[in-house]
mmCIF file of all heavy atoms in Angstrom:
data_model
loop_
_atom_site.group_PDB
_atom_site.id
_atom_site.type_symbol
_atom_site.label_atom_id
_atom_site.label_comp_id
_atom_site.label_asym_id
_atom_site.label_seq_id
_atom_site.Cartn_x
_atom_site.Cartn_y
_atom_site.Cartn_z
ATOM 1 N N SER A 53 309.107 88.153 115.937
ATOM 2 C CA SER A 53 310.313 87.923 116.741
ATOM 3 C C SER A 53 310.215 86.644 117.577
ATOM 4 O O SER A 53 311.227 86.063 117.940
ATOM 5 C CB SER A 53 310.590 89.123 117.646
ATOM 6 O OG SER A 53 309.634 89.223 118.675
ATOM 7 N N ILE A 54 309.003 86.196 117.839
ATOM 8 C CA ILE A 54 308.777 84.989 118.650
ATOM 9 C C ILE A 54 308.630 83.744 117.778
ATOM 10 O O ILE A 54 309.060 82.657 118.152
ATOM 11 C CB ILE A 54 307.492 85.154 119.500
ATOM 12 C CG1 ILE A 54 307.637 86.308 120.484
ATOM 13 C CG2 ILE A 54 307.155 83.874 120.237
ATOM 14 C CD1 ILE A 54 306.332 86.690 121.168
ATOM 15 N N ILE A 55 308.032 83.892 116.613
ATOM 16 C CA ILE A 55 307.564 82.758 115.816
ATOM 17 C C ILE A 55 308.691 81.827 115.356
ATOM 18 O O ILE A 55 308.488 80.621 115.211
ATOM 19 C CB ILE A 55 306.720 83.248 114.611
ATOM 20 C CG1 ILE A 55 305.728 82.173 114.162
ATOM 21 C CG2 ILE A 55 307.578 83.661 113.434
ATOM 22 C CD1 ILE A 55 304.523 82.074 115.002
ATOM 23 N N ASP A 56 309.882 82.360 115.163
ATOM 24 C CA ASP A 56 310.990 81.535 114.670
ATOM 25 C C ASP A 56 311.352 80.412 115.637
ATOM 26 O O ASP A 56 311.779 79.346 115.218
ATOM 27 C CB ASP A 56 312.210 82.406 114.374
ATOM 28 C CG ASP A 56 313.276 81.645 113.612
ATOM 29 O OD1 ASP A 56 312.921 80.919 112.661
ATOM 30 O OD2 ASP A 56 314.463 81.761 113.978
ATOM 31 N N SER A 57 311.142 80.640 116.922
ATOM 32 C CA SER A 57 311.477 79.607 117.906
ATOM 33 C C SER A 57 310.274 78.742 118.281
ATOM 34 O O SER A 57 310.391 77.830 119.099
ATOM 35 C CB SER A 57 312.068 80.254 119.166
ATOM 36 O OG SER A 57 311.111 81.098 119.765
ATOM 37 N N GLU A 58 309.136 79.008 117.674
ATOM 38 C CA GLU A 58 307.919 78.251 117.977
ATOM 39 C C GLU A 58 307.950 76.881 117.289
ATOM 40 O O GLU A 58 308.301 76.769 116.123
ATOM 41 C CB GLU A 58 306.691 79.034 117.515
ATOM 42 C CG GLU A 58 305.386 78.464 117.960
ATOM 43 C CD GLU A 58 305.227 78.427 119.467
ATOM 44 O OE1 GLU A 58 305.692 79.350 120.159
ATOM 45 O OE2 GLU A 58 304.631 77.454 119.954
ATOM 46 N N ILE A 59 307.553 75.859 118.045
ATOM 47 C CA ILE A 59 307.458 74.504 117.497
ATOM 48 C C ILE A 59 306.018 74.033 117.678
ATOM 49 O O ILE A 59 305.598 73.732 118.798
ATOM 50 C CB ILE A 59 308.432 73.534 118.200
ATOM 51 C CG1 ILE A 59 309.862 74.022 118.032
ATOM 52 C CG2 ILE A 59 308.265 72.119 117.658
ATOM 53 C CD1 ILE A 59 310.875 73.274 118.868
ATOM 54 N N PRO A 60 305.232 74.020 116.602
ATOM 55 C CA PRO A 60 303.847 73.568 116.727
ATOM 56 C C PRO A 60 303.769 72.121 117.221
ATOM 57 O O PRO A 60 304.587 71.276 116.870
ATOM 58 C CB PRO A 60 303.304 73.681 115.298
ATOM 59 C CG PRO A 60 304.183 74.703 114.645
ATOM 60 C CD PRO A 60 305.542 74.480 115.245
ATOM 61 N N THR A 61 302.783 71.848 118.050
ATOM 62 C CA THR A 61 302.577 70.526 118.631
ATOM 63 C C THR A 61 301.645 69.703 117.747
ATOM 64 O O THR A 61 300.544 70.162 117.424
ATOM 65 C CB THR A 61 301.945 70.669 120.030
ATOM 66 O OG1 THR A 61 302.788 71.491 120.831
ATOM 67 C CG2 THR A 61 301.743 69.327 120.690
ATOM 68 N N PRO A 62 302.066 68.508 117.360
ATOM 69 C CA PRO A 62 301.156 67.647 116.587
ATOM 70 C C PRO A 62 299.949 67.260 117.443
ATOM 71 O O PRO A 62 300.081 67.027 118.649
ATOM 72 C CB PRO A 62 301.990 66.411 116.268
ATOM 73 C CG PRO A 62 303.393 66.732 116.647
ATOM 74 C CD PRO A 62 303.356 67.879 117.593
ATOM 75 N N ILE A 63 298.785 67.201 116.820
ATOM 76 C CA ILE A 63 297.569 66.794 117.525
ATOM 77 C C ILE A 63 297.471 65.267 117.485
ATOM 78 O O ILE A 63 297.542 64.665 116.414
ATOM 79 C CB ILE A 63 296.314 67.422 116.874
ATOM 80 C CG1 ILE A 63 296.435 68.946 116.816
ATOM 81 C CG2 ILE A 63 295.046 66.975 117.593
ATOM 82 C CD1 ILE A 63 296.532 69.633 118.148
ATOM 83 N N ASN A 64 297.312 64.671 118.661
ATOM 84 C CA ASN A 64 297.199 63.212 118.744
ATOM 85 C C ASN A 64 295.972 62.716 117.999
ATOM 86 O O ASN A 64 294.955 63.386 117.958
ATOM 87 C CB ASN A 64 297.109 62.765 120.207
ATOM 88 C CG ASN A 64 298.400 62.989 120.954
ATOM 89 O OD1 ASN A 64 299.473 63.036 120.365
ATOM 90 N ND2 ASN A 64 298.307 63.144 122.266
ATOM 91 N N THR A 65 296.067 61.577 117.433
ATOM 92 C CA THR A 65 295.004 60.813 116.757
ATOM 93 C C THR A 65 294.614 61.347 115.384
ATOM 94 O O THR A 65 293.735 60.769 114.733
ATOM 95 C CB THR A 65 293.719 60.660 117.604
ATOM 96 O OG1 THR A 65 293.039 61.911 117.701
ATOM 97 C CG2 THR A 65 294.027 60.109 118.989
ATOM 98 N N VAL A 66 295.216 62.444 114.921
ATOM 99 C CA VAL A 66 294.964 62.921 113.559
ATOM 100 C C VAL A 66 296.307 63.210 112.895
ATOM 101 O O VAL A 66 297.279 63.565 113.557
ATOM 102 C CB VAL A 66 294.058 64.177 113.512
ATOM 103 C CG1 VAL A 66 292.655 63.841 113.954
ATOM 104 C CG2 VAL A 66 294.615 65.294 114.367
ATOM 105 N N ILE A 67 296.364 63.062 111.583
ATOM 106 C CA ILE A 67 297.619 63.310 110.884
ATOM 107 C C ILE A 67 297.602 64.693 110.242
ATOM 108 O O ILE A 67 296.546 65.213 109.874
ATOM 109 C CB ILE A 67 297.902 62.221 109.821
ATOM 110 C CG1 ILE A 67 296.784 62.138 108.784
ATOM 111 C CG2 ILE A 67 298.131 60.874 110.479
ATOM 112 C CD1 ILE A 67 297.110 61.261 107.591
ATOM 113 N N ASN A 68 298.787 65.272 110.150
ATOM 114 C CA ASN A 68 298.981 66.558 109.478
ATOM 115 C C ASN A 68 298.185 67.706 110.093
ATOM 116 O O ASN A 68 297.702 68.589 109.385
ATOM 117 C CB ASN A 68 298.679 66.440 107.986
ATOM 118 C CG ASN A 68 299.641 65.511 107.289
ATOM 119 O OD1 ASN A 68 300.817 65.457 107.609
ATOM 120 N ND2 ASN A 68 299.137 64.749 106.328
ATOM 121 N N VAL A 69 298.055 67.685 111.422
ATOM 122 C CA VAL A 69 297.393 68.771 112.148
ATOM 123 C C VAL A 69 298.250 69.127 113.352
ATOM 124 O O VAL A 69 298.706 68.250 114.083
ATOM 125 C CB VAL A 69 295.976 68.363 112.618
ATOM 126 C CG1 VAL A 69 295.295 69.511 113.357
ATOM 127 C CG2 VAL A 69 295.126 67.907 111.442
#
Side-chain angles (χ1 to χ4, degrees):
S53 70
I54 297 169
I55 206 79
D56 191 44
S57 62
E58 189 62 36
I59 301 171
T61 303
I63 304 298
N64 291 335
T65 71
V66 292
I67 59 170
N68 296 324
V69 181

